[in-house]
Amino acid sequence: MARVPFIAGNWKLNKAPSEAAALAKALKHKLADRGDVTVAVFPTALSIQATLQSIAGSGVGVGIQDISVSPRGAYTGTNSGVMARALGCTYVLVGHSERRLYYGEDEAKVSARIRAGLDAGLLPIVCVGETLAQRRAGQADAVVHDQLAGALVGLNHDEVVKLTLAYEPVWAIGTGETATPAQAQAVHASIRSWLTNAYPAYIPNQMRIQYGGSVKPSNAAELLACPDIDGALVGGASLNAEDFAAIVAAAIA
Ligand code: 13P
């Protein structure tokens, strides 16, 4: 079953509000003709409002990069999924390797954030991926399967089907090193077959699996041509409107 491609830009800790507004404005213009490709951007929380204002009317979704597991309360320094939704966010990123590495997000925390996101009415993009050492030890598939099992535990079928997955090999993030299309496709196929074993067929057929890790205009087309790669989660190249638009263009059938 053909899935509608989904291209997302993770701006990470870049783009102050004025810069985010300018980038969003450029994207609104450049992405006007994108067929049915789903597009979303993830500014830093402080730039969400500016991004929403500039991108309004374009159909490009906006998401938050992380949420607290609690909608409100005495949790200094965090952001609420309910409040992000109220502001106008559609998506939340969960389990990004930078969150796992720098903020100790283990499977339990990832799972709790998916729950909080869904309860808030946000659509989670759940990131999984192995380190270089794990890949060299031949554990890439097993690591990703364990991350999925831990992340999706407790979700019913209606909830699982709302998720997007992102396979982001840690060794390919921000390094300029990209998984080859064959390497990426192999793990995507293995994720899809894990889903097939765990859920009824409509779930693996419908769920989109993005590839992330040094996606750029020069490699997007060959990655997106793989049968189980349904989109991209783009870091560095999403900070430039021209590059991001070129990646979206590569997804148009
Ligand atoms: P880069 O595209 O900069 O490698 O980042 C990928 C990523 O982490 C997207 O979430």
Side-chain angles (χ1 to χ4, degrees), residues 8-12 93 96-98 127 166 168 172-177 211-216 232-238:
N10 176 7
W11 297 353
K12 307 191 181 182
L93 271 187
H96 192 281
S97 64
E98 288 151 17
C127 306
E168 297 207 308
I173 295 178
T175 59
E177 197 168 334
Y211 169 77
S214 301
V215 176
K216 30 190 189 255
L233 182 53
V234 186
S238 73

Side-chain angles (χ1 to χ4, degrees), residues 203-226:
I203 291 186
N205 284 343
Q206 281 182 34
M207 273 180 84
R208 293 181 288 192
I209 310 173
Q210 299 172 325
Y211 169 77
S214 301
V215 176
K216 30 190 189 255
S218 58
N219 61 21
E222 57 177 6
L223 287 162
L224 293 168
C226 297

Side-chain angles (χ1 to χ4, degrees), residues 7-252:
I7 308 293
N10 176 7
W11 297 353
K12 307 191 181 182
L13 188 50
N14 296 292
K15 302 291 176 189
S18 60
E19 298 165 324
L23 176 55
K25 190 174 165 206
L27 288 177
K28 183 174 177 173
H29 177 66
K30 288 185 188 297
L31 296 177
D33 275 329
R34 62 177 184 282
D36 62 354
V37 178
T38 310
V39 181
V41 295
F42 292 79
T44 180
L46 292 175
S47 296
I48 288 175
Q49 183 140 32
T51 303
L52 280 162
Q53 279 166 358
S54 282
I55 219 150
S58 68
V60 173
V62 176
I64 186 163
Q65 295 175 12
D66 177 49
I67 53 168
S68 165
V69 299
S70 305
R72 66 186 61 75
Y75 303 100
T76 302
T78 54
N79 289 300
S80 155
V82 169
M83 295 179 198
R85 184 82 191 105
L87 194 59
C89 286
T90 307
Y91 301 97
V92 57
L93 271 187
V94 181
H96 192 281
S97 64
E98 288 151 17
R99 300 287 322 165
R100 294 177 190 260
L101 181 64
Y102 304 135
Y103 304 99
E105 274 184 29
D106 56 13
E107 269 17 285
K109 291 182 179 169
V110 169
S111 153
R113 278 167 170 71
I114 295 172
R115 171 90 273 144
L118 289 169
D119 288 350
L122 295 169
L123 299 172
I125 298 182
V126 181
C127 306
V128 296
E130 82 287 359
T131 62
L132 188 55
Q134 290 166 332
R135 171 159 285 266
R136 286 191 172 143
Q139 296 166 344
D141 287 351
V143 166
V144 165
H145 294 171
D146 283 353
Q147 290 172 335
L148 284 174
L152 307 190
V153 68
L155 299 181
N156 65 38
H157 295 172
D158 290 346
E159 291 168 334
V160 171
V161 81
K162 287 185 186 161
L163 307 178
T164 299
L165 301 179
Y167 168 57
E168 297 207 308
V170 177
W171 48 273
I173 295 178
T175 59
E177 197 168 334
T178 319
T180 64
Q183 283 174 320
Q185 164 59 25
V187 179
H188 281 238
S190 137
I191 290 173
R192 201 158 327 262
S193 89
W194 184 90
L195 292 169
T196 302
N197 287 332
Y199 300 104
Y202 77 90
I203 291 186
N205 284 343
Q206 281 182 34
M207 273 180 84
R208 293 181 288 192
I209 310 173
Q210 299 172 325
Y211 169 77
S214 301
V215 176
K216 30 190 189 255
S218 58
N219 61 21
E222 57 177 6
L223 287 162
L224 293 168
C226 297
D228 288 293
I229 299 183
D230 309 311
L233 182 53
V234 186
S238 73
L239 300 175
N240 177 289
E242 213 141 281
D243 288 351
F244 189 62
I247 293 167
V248 172
I252 300 171

